[in-house]
Amino acid sequence: MHIKQAAKQLNTTSRTIRFYEEKGLIKPQKDADNDYRMFTDNDLLRLSTILALREIGMRIDTIKAILDDQDMNMTDYLNVQRSALFEKWIEMKDMIQTIDQMIERTTENTDATEAIIALSRHLKNMKSVRNNWEDKWHFDHQARGYDQNIKMAGYRFNVHQDYDKALSKAAETIHLQPTDICVDVGVGTGNLDAKFLDKAARVIGVDQSEEMLKVCTEKYPAIDTRKGHFLALPLLNHEADAIVSSYALHHIPDDEKLLALDEMSRVLKSHGQICIVDLMFKNMQHRTDMVRRFEDDGNSEAVYAIEDEFYADRSKLIEWFTARGYQVETYQFNDILSMIYAKR
Ligand SMILES: C[S@@+](CC[C@H](N)C(=O)[O-])C[C@H]1O[C@@H](n2cnc3c(N)ncnc32)[C@H](O)[C@@H]1O
């Protein structure tokens, strides 16, 4: 088939096809007599894949990587693309909300310059918070050994003390109907999310680490794994009946935790439930007392671990939930591990 026919069949233009050829995405054979490009069925299939991936906004170099990779896993790439689109969508939503607020200020007040500058600064700050989180713990590298490491005992400071008990408590606290959707944020290797597989219609696991998601899928193929992060969940508004999260929230700073709760609320249904199991202190005084106790005991491992991460101030999270009309219950497993259950 010649280029014009191929373009017609695929509802595109010869120019577009030549562009993909220039970029090395396709290599049609040329007729020895007249040098015309000849497109086979395989070329057409490859071209329609390229067009479909461009349609969802995928970059040319990413498409090339997918098509050139012999062990390519299309799902992985689509997952990355979905996460990128959600991030963009959430950014656009923030921009639109800011414009709405600016319009409100300008209609209320003839000189709203200061308010507009303040709103645009806030928007800029939100953008940088969303984009600047870095995985300094290298979860991709931890993924394969994660389950084994949880079981390791003998440290002077064991953050995974009561791990099984805490996950079981979260699983029994969340009540699900067979039609419900349950989302685990920071799903890791799926240990908590898997407990909902026989209770919910759909169990979704979100994580920023692609390797963690791979291990999770290997262990529990029924979990719908999605790349995403606390501040940009790859879900539409009001999609989830329940959101759970274990041992993950302490990887983001305190002010971002409240943004993460905003984001969970965005995707949660009106009568939804949120259950967070994590390393946290009851309040700042409790933190100070605990750090002093570890220092007095010469337990530098504990002091380092607490300072390296962002153990929550539980009182701040409770305050956030109650101010937004959630009913809140808490459960304390040990000095540093708590559960917060919030029902809308
Ligand atoms: C200590 S593991 C806990 C995994 C699992 N929830 C569990 O209880 O075993 C923390 C997980 O949270 C994920 N995580 C950390 N920060 C995150 C963020 N900002 N957004 C999404 N996932 C995050 C990590 O990639 C990692 O898989």
Side-chain angles (χ1 to χ4, degrees), residues 17-256:
I17 297 181
R18 278 196 297 272
F19 173 72
Y20 293 143
E21 188 184 351
E22 267 165 44
K23 294 286 172 195
L25 292 175
I26 46 163
K27 288 188 192 76
Q29 294 288 317
K30 293 207 175 157
D31 189 319
D33 294 336
N34 52 24
D35 218 25
Y36 284 174
R37 295 169 178 81
M38 299 300 295
F39 290 84
T40 61
D41 285 350
N42 261 347
D43 291 328
L44 290 187
L45 183 64
R46 194 171 163 102
L47 263 171
S48 37
T49 311
I50 295 166
L51 291 167
L53 295 177
R54 285 296 289 156
E55 201 59 49
I56 56 162
M58 197 175 273
R59 289 161 51 116
I60 299 274
D61 50 356
T62 313
I63 298 177
K64 191 163 181 337
I66 296 177
L67 297 177
D68 290 349
D69 185 350
Q70 293 306 314
D71 325 305
M72 86 161 185
N73 182 340
M74 181 74 92
T75 316
D76 291 346
Y77 284 106
L78 288 173
N79 213 338
V80 172
Q81 182 67 4
R82 174 175 52 193
S83 139
L85 286 182
F86 264 109
E87 277 180 38
K88 265 195 208 159
W89 178 61
I90 288 164
E91 202 174 297
M92 297 290 279
K93 174 186 72 65
D94 285 351
M95 287 164 76
I96 293 168
Q97 273 172 355
T98 306
I99 293 177
D100 282 347
Q101 289 164 350
M102 286 177 172
I103 291 174
E104 216 177 289
R105 301 291 187 285
T106 48
T107 46
E108 276 167 4
N109 195 337
T110 43
D111 186 9
T113 322
E114 263 182 42
I116 287 183
I117 293 173
L119 283 165
S120 75
R121 279 209 191 110
H122 176 69
L123 180 67
K124 197 170 170 192
N125 184 35
M126 291 277 285
K127 272 190 199 169
S128 89
V129 166
R130 285 195 204 286
N131 297 330
N132 288 348
W133 185 84
E134 239 181 277
D135 178 3
K136 64 174 183 157
W137 300 272
H138 308 292
F139 282 108
D140 273 347
H141 296 158
Q142 287 192 36
R144 295 277 151 200
Y146 180 74
D147 284 346
Q148 207 46 42
N149 285 340
I150 291 171
K151 294 185 196 124
M152 275 165 62
Y155 285 100
R156 286 198 69 196
F157 182 62
N158 181 8
V159 288
H160 289 114
Q161 187 189 335
D162 297 319
Y163 179 85
D164 291 332
K165 193 171 153 193
L167 266 52
S168 299
K169 176 79 182 164
E172 76 194 35
T173 305
I174 289 277
H175 298 290
L176 292 170
Q177 302 299 320
T179 51
D180 281 355
I181 296 180
C182 178
V183 181
D184 184 347
V185 188
V187 65
T189 60
N191 295 336
L192 175 57
D193 223 7
K195 294 185 189 292
F196 302 105
L197 277 172
D198 56 356
K199 296 184 188 158
R202 246 168 89 208
V203 173
I204 299 173
V206 176
D207 206 288
Q208 58 83 34
S209 156
E210 285 169 45
E211 282 306 310
M212 282 286 190
L213 292 175
K214 271 189 199 151
V215 176
C216 180
T217 306
E218 283 163 23
K219 282 170 66 187
Y220 307 108
I223 296 181
D224 170 356
T225 49
R226 299 183 177 198
K227 187 171 161 69
H229 63 82
F230 272 114
L231 303 184
L233 296 175
L235 290 143
L236 298 174
N237 294 348
H238 313 302
E239 236 189 316
D241 297 277
I243 300 179
V244 297
S245 182
S246 58
Y247 292 84
L249 200 63
H250 66 281
H251 296 105
I252 59 175
D254 276 358
D255 48 346
E256 291 181 30

